Amino acid sequence: MTIELEDGGSLQPGYDEALRAGLAAVGADHARVVVSGVFDTTVGRLIGHHTYAEDRGAGAVTARTLADPAATIVVNRRAVETQELTVDDVERIAAHEGGHVLMNDREEGLGWHQDLATDQVSFHLLTIAAGVIEEHRCEAALAARRTYPAMRGRRAVDLAGNLHDANVAFLGAVSDEESADPAVLHHRIVDGVVTPLSKTLAVTLAGTIGGADEVAGLVGDREDWRDYVEPTWARRTQFLAGLPTATEPMARDAYRDALQEGARIEAAFLRDVGFEYLSDDQGWGFVRVVADERCAERLDRALRIDRLRAAGK
């Protein structure tokens, strides 16, 4: 493993050993780690996409693994310092990112299977599914070792808050005047609601010893759960439970089948959120299918929860 410091990157004492230990834990010692003080600039340069932004809807990204021959992991020095991560936190992050390295080594990522996308709509759905699959497999690999605690902010007991935040994000997206632009609306729903919530469900499930029943039991009495998650929960959990961990190879055909099933689940979840893709020979569209009455119920619920939070309940 090599560690490089770029664009003002630096390491606090013990972080280098933590990075090495985390990668070694999953067998990804060959990775190249780049610690950057200007994360989005470094990632954008390395991937050739100069508009990359580190804030992906769920806070600043701490690290990102690139699908390149050098097995590069870029660590965001600013996010590490802002979140006051400990040496143990850094080791855990390295182990998680090491899972991504292993999957990339085996070409288990959408980048090697884009032929599955028959149009732009299927590509969008496959992209969501690929990210969910990867996050679940990485977390499942760590859970199997029982040496790392649940990812900070992704424990089952935090799900109620995650669901409320998703509901608020949905309401903001549909009510903001800027969302009159279809591209803005699509970004705010897919990148701000569907993708982060699907990933949160995936990593929470992977890290919860009691599995699907425990996760659902902790938040099953919440209206947000019944509204957004419950309709696809059984199908989602059965699907994720059948995936190997990131340290276990996945046959090419099995991976391709998983991508397609994952895309179907995300399409169903998107409809539960309240949107649907349209596609024909003229192109594709993104339309709201949730009724105004249901949006009003979601608003009332969000306001009620905010009042309870303000009251400390």
Side-chain angles (χ1 to χ4, degrees):
M1 187 196 100
T2 62
I3 299 178
E4 303 170 19
L5 307 180
E6 294 190 13
D7 297 323
S10 62
L11 285 173
Q12 296 184 28
Y15 279 13
D16 54 344
E17 291 89 348
L19 290 168
R20 295 180 191 281
L23 291 173
V26 296
D29 312 68
H30 59 292
R32 165 201 181 207
V33 177
V34 176
V35 182
S36 174
V38 190
F39 184 72
D40 51 354
T41 300
T42 301
V43 173
R45 173 170 49 78
L46 291 173
I47 66 175
H49 191 335
H50 299 296
T51 59
Y52 178 83
E54 64 186 74
D55 190 341
R56 316 305 280 177
V61 174
T62 305
R64 173 170 172 174
T65 298
L66 310 184
D68 66 352
T72 303
I73 300 171
V74 185
V75 176
N76 186 349
R77 189 210 71 192
R78 186 178 68 84
V80 169
E81 293 177 352
T82 300
Q83 298 173 32
E84 299 181 344
L85 300 185
T86 66
V87 169
D88 289 341
D89 292 329
V90 172
E91 180 180 333
R92 191 193 193 289
I93 289 169
H96 176 97
E97 295 302 320
H100 288 290
V101 168
L102 298 179
M103 290 186 290
N104 288 340
D105 287 347
R106 301 189 300 260
E107 299 187 353
E108 294 166 8
L110 182 58
W112 292 278
H113 302 275
Q114 293 190 34
D115 60 295
L116 291 174
T118 56
D119 54 23
Q120 191 63 42
V121 169
S122 61
F123 180 76
H124 285 310
L125 293 170
L126 286 165
T127 298
I128 301 170
V132 171
I133 289 169
E134 290 167 18
E135 292 303 311
H136 179 80
R137 294 181 69 193
C138 286
E139 285 300 298
L142 302 194
R145 283 160 174 71
R146 299 187 183 278
T147 54
Y148 296 103
M151 183 181 293
R152 183 184 297 188
R154 297 288 179 86
R155 297 178 299 273
V157 294
D158 298 318
L159 257 185
N162 293 137
L163 288 165
H164 172 65
D165 292 343
N167 187 37
V168 171
F170 164 83
L171 293 166
V174 299
S175 62
D176 195 323
E177 291 182 358
E178 292 185 2
S179 294
D181 181 340
V184 172
L185 179 64
H186 178 258
H187 168 71
R188 293 185 66 172
I189 292 296
V190 173
D191 297 331
V193 180
V194 173
T195 299
L197 186 52
S198 289
K199 287 184 178 181
T200 293
L201 293 168
V203 299
T204 301
L205 181 65
T208 304
I209 295 175
D213 290 341
E214 181 180 341
V215 176
L218 287 169
V219 295
D221 60 340
R222 304 299 180 97
E223 294 174 68
D224 285 327
W225 175 272
R226 292 196 296 270
D227 186 3
Y228 288 102
V229 178
E230 195 169 66
T232 57
W233 183 238
R235 184 178 179 185
R236 181 185 296 276
T237 54
Q238 182 178 17
F239 167 67
L240 293 174
L243 297 174
T245 73
T247 59
E248 301 167 320
M250 197 168 182
R252 184 176 188 275
D253 287 345
Y255 178 74
R256 289 168 68 85
D257 289 344
L259 276 177
Q260 293 179 92
E261 173 61 8
R264 289 188 286 268
I265 292 171
E266 297 308 332
F269 179 51
L270 181 62
R271 285 192 293 273
D272 293 327
V273 170
F275 285 83
E276 191 168 35
Y277 283 112
L278 299 177
S279 182
D280 57 31
D281 55 4
Q282 302 299 312
W284 66 280
F286 187 72
V287 297
R288 197 186 90 176
V289 295
V290 62
D292 289 343
E293 294 79 4
R294 194 169 175 193
C295 289
E297 292 172 359
R298 289 176 173 178
L299 176 60
D300 289 343
R301 186 164 73 236
L303 293 173
R304 184 172 68 252
I305 292 174
D306 280 340
R307 286 195 295 268
L308 291 172
R309 282 182 169 185
K313 298 180 181 180

